[in-house]
């Protein structure tokens, strides 16, 4: 069996260290240097010849993180790695998965093409914005389900028979229904209309939440405008408590202030993206163990779906 080595880009070192520890290996020795004009250089400080190389890197902004990832893949292939598997906890540009208006790019497809073009053999990611993005790749994609971490935590809260799940928009209905099914609970939908990106024009609740403990479910939270507005609306409709679950905490712009001042009991997120600042209402759950188990199953050719709830 080929030797396994785990390396990290600079964007996700904190998570890669925990993944390597959970897997039972030290994080590989890799150097990322910069020329005076900002150009990136990558160098493996140990042999990867014949090894199965796992490179952990989320493609969060700036775009240098994506460029760094592609250089790491290329360096590993040129150093005769047996296989190069990209572990991308957060897949950046996933929101650009279709032409929703004329003359726009499909960013998710561009990223998929770039990763494949430099020689990646496999991609491992978690809670894609749209599941069909897997079809943009001609290599195997392991799409992990964050509910394996979030559901046990929600069960520990013992919310009882008053629990109901809510989707902050129509696009998240499938994801929210999966959570509701795990608890045998009902769900409602917050139907929103946008004027433009990150700006909501109107929102309404489809369903009854009177006297219920509501859990909002989403794949990511960016400016937190949708999440906090939905929480406020649910409270106005009679919800007893409102909390939220979102895998990827992008949290840009006024997000932290909005969450802190919101009616949310808490926002539960993962460590696929590192928080920029502390917030009393944000609870972080680690996905390190989930990714470590997935890496082990890839290496031993076992089922990935066995990790799902």
């Amino acid at each position: 069996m080929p030797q396994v080595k785990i390396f990290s880009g600079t964007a996700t070192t904190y998570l890669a260290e925990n993944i390597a520890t959970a897997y039972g290996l030290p994080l590989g020795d890799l150097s990322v240097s910069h020329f005076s004009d900002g150009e990136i250089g990558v160098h493996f400080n140990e042999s990867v010849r014949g090894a199965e190389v796992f490179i952990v890197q989320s493609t969060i902004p700036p775009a240098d993180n994506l460029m760094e990832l592609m250089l790491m893949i290329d360096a590993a292939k040129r150093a005769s790695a047996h296989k190069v598997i990209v572990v991308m906890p957060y897949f950046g540009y996933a929101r650009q998965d279709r032409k929703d208006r004329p003359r726009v790019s499909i960013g998710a497809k561009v990223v998929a093409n770039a990763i494949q073009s430099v020689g990646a053999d496999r991609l491992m990611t978690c809670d894609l914005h749209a599941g069909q993005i897997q079809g943009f790749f001609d290599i195997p994609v392991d799409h992990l389900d964050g509910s394996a971490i979030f559901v046990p935590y929600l069960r520990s809260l013992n919310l009882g028979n008053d629990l109901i799940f809510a989707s902050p928009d129509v696009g998240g209905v499938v994801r929210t229904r999966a959570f509701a099914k795990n608890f045998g609970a009902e769900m409602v939908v917050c139907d929103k209309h946008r004027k433009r990106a990150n700006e909501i024009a109107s929102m309404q609740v489809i369903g009854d939440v009177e006297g219920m403990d509501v859990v909002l479910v989403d794949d990511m939270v960016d400016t937190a405008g949708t999440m906090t507005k939905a929480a406020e609306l649910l409270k106005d409709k009679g919800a007893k408590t409102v909390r939220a679950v979102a895998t990827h905490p992008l949290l840009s712009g006024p997000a932290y202030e909005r969450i802190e001042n919101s009616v949310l009991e808490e926002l539960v997120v993962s460590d696929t993206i590192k928080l920029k600042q502390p917030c009393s209402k944000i609870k972080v759950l680690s996905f390190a163990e989930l990714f470590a188990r997935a890496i082990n199953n890839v290496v031993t050719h076992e089922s990935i779906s066995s990790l799902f709830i």
Side-chain angles (χ1 to χ4, degrees):
M1 186 178 292
Q3 184 181 12
V4 175
K5 296 198 173 190
I6 302 173
F7 295 89
S8 175
T10 55
T12 328
T13 305
Y14 66 97
L15 177 56
E17 289 174 344
N18 293 334
I19 292 172
T21 299
Y23 186 80
L25 286 177
L27 195 61
D29 190 6
L30 171 77
S31 295
V32 178
S33 58
H34 294 82
F35 292 89
S36 60
D37 64 349
E39 184 178 318
I40 303 168
V42 170
H43 176 249
F44 287 94
N45 298 321
E46 59 186 86
S47 175
V48 297
R49 183 177 297 275
E52 290 202 9
V53 175
F54 290 82
I55 299 174
V56 184
Q57 177 85 315
S58 287
T59 52
I60 53 178
D64 280 0
N65 290 323
L66 176 58
M67 188 64 190
E68 186 181 290
L69 172 61
M70 291 192 293
L71 291 173
M72 287 189 288
I73 297 168
D74 182 68
K77 294 297 286 188
R78 294 179 186 278
S80 301
H82 174 63
K83 284 185 178 179
V84 178
I85 299 95
V86 175
V87 180
M88 191 182 291
Y90 169 67
F91 186 101
Y93 295 86
R95 287 174 286 185
Q96 300 179 50
D97 61 331
R98 66 196 184 281
K99 286 189 68 176
D100 54 357
R101 59 186 187 276
R103 298 176 296 281
V104 296
S105 64
I106 302 180
K109 177 60 174 171
V110 173
V111 173
N113 287 345
I115 291 169
Q116 291 177 127
S117 69
V118 290
D121 294 291
R122 192 181 197 98
L123 177 80
M124 184 183 296
T125 188
C126 183
D127 287 349
L128 286 168
H129 186 63
Q132 61 266 26
I133 291 173
Q134 297 171 76
F136 292 171
F137 290 88
D138 296 320
I139 58 176
V141 176
D142 298 310
H143 186 204
L144 305 186
D145 188 347
S147 65
I149 304 299
F150 291 125
V151 167
Y153 173 75
L154 292 175
R155 288 195 191 282
S156 72
L157 299 177
N158 297 316
L159 295 175
N161 295 328
D162 293 335
L163 176 63
I164 192 169
F165 289 84
S167 174
D169 54 40
V170 175
V173 167
V174 173
R175 183 180 299 106
T176 306
R177 185 179 290 120
F179 270 79
K181 185 178 179 181
N182 276 307
F183 288 84
E186 297 298 320
M187 65 166 286
V188 299
V189 179
C190 300
D191 183 32
K192 68 182 178 185
H193 168 65
R194 290 189 186 275
K195 284 183 177 179
R196 56 185 68 88
N198 296 126
E199 186 176 330
I200 302 167
S202 64
M203 180 180 285
Q204 61 183 354
V205 177
I206 304 173
D208 183 21
V209 296
E210 182 74 37
M212 304 297 283
D213 293 304
V214 183
V215 177
L216 282 157
V217 179
D218 211 347
D219 64 304
M220 66 175 70
V221 53
D222 190 355
T223 62
T226 297
M227 191 74 74
T228 54
K229 189 176 180 65
E232 185 177 342
L233 184 59
L234 290 164
K235 271 284 195 179
D236 291 342
K237 294 293 184 179
K240 186 165 55 176
T241 63
V242 182
R243 50 179 39 85
V245 168
T247 304
H248 309 297
L250 299 174
L251 300 178
S252 61
Y256 286 93
E257 182 181 353
R258 283 175 173 172
I259 293 166
E260 195 68 67
N261 297 328
S262 72
V263 299
L264 286 169
E265 299 289 320
E266 64 177 347
L267 169 62
V268 186
V269 299
S270 80
D271 55 356
T272 57
I273 301 173
K274 192 173 185 178
L275 296 186
K276 302 180 185 73
Q277 65 185 67
C279 178
S280 64
K281 289 192 175 183
I282 298 178
K283 180 176 181 61
V284 181
L285 302 181
S286 180
F287 277 19
E289 182 69 29
L290 177 63
F291 278 107
R293 289 165 59 196
I295 290 172
N296 179 72
N297 287 15
V298 166
V299 172
T300 58
H301 307 292
E302 295 179 43
S303 169
I304 294 294
S305 61
S306 65
L307 304 176
F308 302 166
I309 292 179

